[in-house]
Amino acid sequence: MAKVTGLGGVFFRARDPKALAQWYATHLGLVVDPSYGGVRFEEDAARPGFTLWTPFAQDTGYFGDPAQPFMLNFRVDDLDALLAQLRAAGVWVDEQREDGEYGRFGWIRDPEGHRVELWQPPG
């Protein structure tokens, strides 16, 4: 069975993502990467992947519904198999996929309509 292997990231809307990231850097010591405005937490070297913390612009379309204030990203071991399992179980699965240097991405909605990102890190 394909499954989630960890939290890939917590993404949320912010009125001023840069200022908020700077506040977290100043007060909590987060090391913000200016290339995307977030923080990457490295994990066990034996497992592929990492966890991101990233504020997004208030008007981002990446989360789908403009009323959704956050989006969870889960690291998975087999994106295609998991999406097939979820579809077979009646879960709404977005037909869009993204493949790139950071891995493979797919999206679903939970029972309350939240867009959830699934991420299979690169090999």
Side-chain angles (χ1 to χ4, degrees), residues 68 70-72 74 86 90-93 107-117:
Q68 182 173 323
F70 67 90
M71 184 174 66
L72 297 177
F74 288 105
L86 293 167
V91 174
W92 181 90
V93 175
W107 297 269
I108 62 169
R109 284 194 193 125
D110 72 14
E112 294 193 4
H114 301 113
R115 180 176 168 95
V116 176
E117 186 170 63

Side-chain angles (χ1 to χ4, degrees), residues 40 48-50 52 62 73-76 79-80 97-107 117-123:
R40 177 176 166 153
F50 44 83
L52 294 177
Y62 197 64
N73 168 292
F74 288 105
R75 195 173 329 133
V76 302
L79 181 64
D80 293 329
R97 299 287 176 282
E98 185 178 313
D99 296 306
E101 71 176 290
Y102 296 110
R104 304 184 63 232
F105 298 86
W107 297 269
E117 186 170 63
L118 302 175
W119 167 52
Q120 182 178 331

